[in-house]
Amino acid sequence: MLAVMLVAVLAAVVLYSFIGFIPGTDETSVLAPVTLALVLSGASAEVVLSFFISAIVTLNLMNAIPTALVGLPGGVMSAPLMEHAVLLRSRGLASTTIRKMAVGSAIGTVVSIPLAFLLAAAVAPLADPIKDRAPLILALGACLLAVLGQNRLLALISIAPMAFLFRGLPAVYEANGIIRPGESVNISFFLGITVGPLLVTLLELLNKRRRNALPHGTLTQARLSADGFRSRELRPNRLVTASEGGWSAAMAAASTPLFVLSPVGLTFLLGEASAARLKDPVERAKRAVTVMSSLTHSTYLAGVIIPLVALGIPISGVSAGPAGPLFEADGVYSLEHNIHHLLSLPQVVIATVLGALIAVVVTYVVAVRWSSQITHFVIRRVPHEAVLSLFVSLIVVLAYIDAGVANVFGVLLVGIVCGSLNRLGVSYGVQFMTLYASPGIVAWLASL
């Protein structure tokens, strides 16, 4: 089993190294479908968990590299680094930025994993009371993420309509004999939310006025500094200052107990707070990118580990989003039977540590020594459209497997609604939490 886990970890490192170098690939849309496909293929729980942990460690660092090198956000989690990375790039410090990001990611991974397991042990005795109140907790979680988001009022208002959408479509399927009574299609809707923003963008191309308003005849210019191709230093103490390392560790520790909150929000809030008092803009940017890289890893890892180990239900933005297939996958995992129930604590620890440590070592070396070369290759040779269409086609296939042709159009509806709301400021976290909370929300509204 250990050999299979090692293969899965290395496969995740290779796959998400190249995906991470492609600007604009959203973390949820590239993590969830592949993880779900692995679960449905019959892979053991240890293999799935080690693969997923390796994937998020790899992707969160690699997504930040296009931001540093060419000024394009690799994914949602790299957005908070954008302003600081662009400033450092303008000063000719792109390669320095990547090295600091690599060290920050290693610090965040090493600090958050033991703390997350300790917090999971503290939360575990409360598991039964929490599970008994799961619908209420999930609904409150959706409201909390809405309040912490960009468009607070719209996000709060959208929760009830989305809940009715998520409960209404399965009722239509049941009434027409498409699925059996009580059968879940949550995973299909989960994928519909994931692909929503991309789907809305593609559909806009069918509108002539919108299509004509898009930029035409120009190409994005990307220039890579020669210094990035010559970098060979690997020692962390030569790449970050003591204060940058200390702040990274402190903020990673501070973010771990806040695992229920939005990773992007925490990364931005704590990352900016760590550098706010520095007067020199370059020094402030250097500390910010180091700390934010640490936070992207600590928030994701804590958001997966604590709900998975202590509860077995998704109660954080990460566990309800990218890690959703670890908790619920049609015919394989359910909220009553998933990795939480299948693996003992030592097995979870081994799978997590194996996936995280191998991924962080490999990605650290790759980021410090070969990030410029890989970025150059990916930008020139890997079409962005091909990667996105691969994931869209995978989602269509999984929707069909769930409930036939009707569900393909059901997922299309979910994608359009949720993608439009996402553009208006209703985050993935709110949408995913609403999906899991929808039975409780609809039952409560019906009782009024």
Side-chain angles (χ1 to χ4, degrees):
M1 180 59 68
L2 193 59
V4 179
M5 291 166 63
L6 183 59
V7 170
V9 167
L10 294 175
V13 170
V14 173
L15 174 63
Y16 286 101
S17 288
F18 281 98
I19 291 175
F21 277 97
I22 301 172
T25 50
D26 175 71
E27 292 88 353
T28 304
S29 64
V30 298
L31 281 169
V34 175
T35 305
L36 178 60
L38 185 63
V39 173
L40 297 180
S41 72
S44 67
E46 296 100 319
V47 171
V48 172
L49 181 57
S50 58
F51 174 90
F52 183 81
I53 295 295
S54 175
I56 61 176
V57 171
T58 302
L59 187 63
N60 276 334
L61 174 57
M62 295 307 177
N63 261 174
I65 290 176
T67 308
L69 287 176
V70 295
L72 297 173
V76 175
M77 288 301 294
S78 62
L81 292 87
M82 189 74 181
E83 180 182 351
H84 301 290
V86 169
L87 171 66
L88 293 172
R89 178 171 168 262
S90 69
R91 304 294 177 89
L93 297 172
S95 57
T96 299
T97 305
I98 293 170
R99 295 174 198 147
K100 291 183 180 295
M101 288 176 174
V103 177
S105 69
I107 292 172
T109 301
V110 171
V111 170
S112 65
I113 288 178
L115 281 180
F117 278 111
L118 288 173
L119 280 170
V123 172
L126 306 173
D128 289 336
I130 291 174
K131 288 179 181 179
D132 291 341
R133 296 169 178 81
L136 175 62
I137 292 171
L138 291 169
L140 290 175
C143 293
L144 177 61
L145 291 175
V147 170
L148 295 173
Q150 297 177 14
N151 196 330
R152 298 175 180 84
L153 185 58
L154 174 62
L156 284 169
I157 292 172
S158 69
I159 289 174
M162 284 194 295
F164 277 101
L165 172 65
F166 297 143
R167 295 300 292 162
L169 277 175
V172 171
Y173 293 170
E174 286 184 15
N176 289 277
I178 297 171
I179 62 174
R180 293 185 295 274
E183 193 171 10
S184 173
V185 288
N186 270 4
I187 288 298
S188 292
F189 295 166
F190 171 88
L191 295 173
I193 296 170
T194 298
V195 80
L198 170 62
L199 185 61
V200 171
T201 301
L202 291 175
L203 292 175
E204 278 186 339
L205 298 177
L206 302 178
N207 182 300
K208 184 177 180 180
R209 182 172 59 83
R210 293 265 188 174
R211 188 171 64 249
N212 290 338
L214 294 172
H216 288 80
T218 59
L219 297 175
T220 300
Q221 297 293 323
R223 293 181 174 86
L224 300 176
S225 169
D227 183 50
F229 291 85
R230 296 192 296 262
S231 172
R232 288 293 178 268
E233 180 62 70
L234 284 175
R235 288 170 290 182
N237 62 320
R238 296 290 184 91
L239 303 178
V240 299
T241 65
S243 65
E244 289 167 352
W247 275 101
S248 297
M251 290 303 178
S255 68
T256 302
L258 305 175
F259 66 96
V260 297
L261 303 182
S262 164
V264 179
L266 281 174
T267 298
F268 181 82
L269 181 65
L270 297 180
E272 291 292 347
S274 70
R277 295 194 176 189
L278 292 176
K279 302 300 182 183
D280 185 340
V282 173
E283 293 304 314
R284 184 166 60 246
K286 287 179 179 179
R287 181 184 290 180
V289 297
T290 309
V291 174
M292 286 180 177
S293 295
S294 174
L295 286 165
T296 58
H297 287 70
S298 64
T299 52
Y300 251 66
L301 289 167
V304 175
I305 293 169
I306 297 172
L308 191 66
V309 172
L311 304 169
I313 58 174
I315 61 169
S316 68
V318 178
S319 60
L326 304 182
F327 295 85
E328 189 173 24
D330 188 41
V332 182
Y333 298 153
S334 67
L335 297 183
E336 295 76 33
H337 178 78
N338 55 44
I339 290 178
H340 169 78
H341 309 90
L342 294 172
L343 299 182
S344 65
L345 180 58
Q347 288 175 311
V348 174
V349 170
I350 290 170
T352 302
V353 171
L354 180 70
L357 291 187
I358 291 177
V360 81
V361 169
V362 174
T363 54
Y364 178 87
V365 175
V366 168
V368 171
R369 288 202 169 176
W370 296 297
S371 55
S372 293
Q373 289 88 336
I374 297 175
T375 300
H376 183 262
F377 172 81
V378 169
I379 288 177
R380 287 179 59 87
R381 302 296 181 189
V382 180
H384 190 186
E385 297 83 355
V387 176
L388 295 179
S389 43
L390 172 65
F391 287 108
V392 171
S393 61
L394 180 59
I395 288 169
V396 171
V397 169
L398 293 171
Y400 177 81
I401 291 172
D402 248 4
V405 174
N407 194 43
V408 174
F409 291 98
V411 169
L412 178 64
L413 173 61
V414 170
I416 292 172
V417 172
C418 293
S420 301
L421 289 172
N422 189 289
R423 282 193 170 191
L424 294 173
V426 182
S427 69
Y428 273 133
V430 175
Q431 295 176 17
F432 287 128
M433 293 293 265
T434 302
L435 171 63
Y436 287 104
S438 58
I441 293 172
V442 171
W444 178 73
L445 292 173
S447 68
L448 296 178

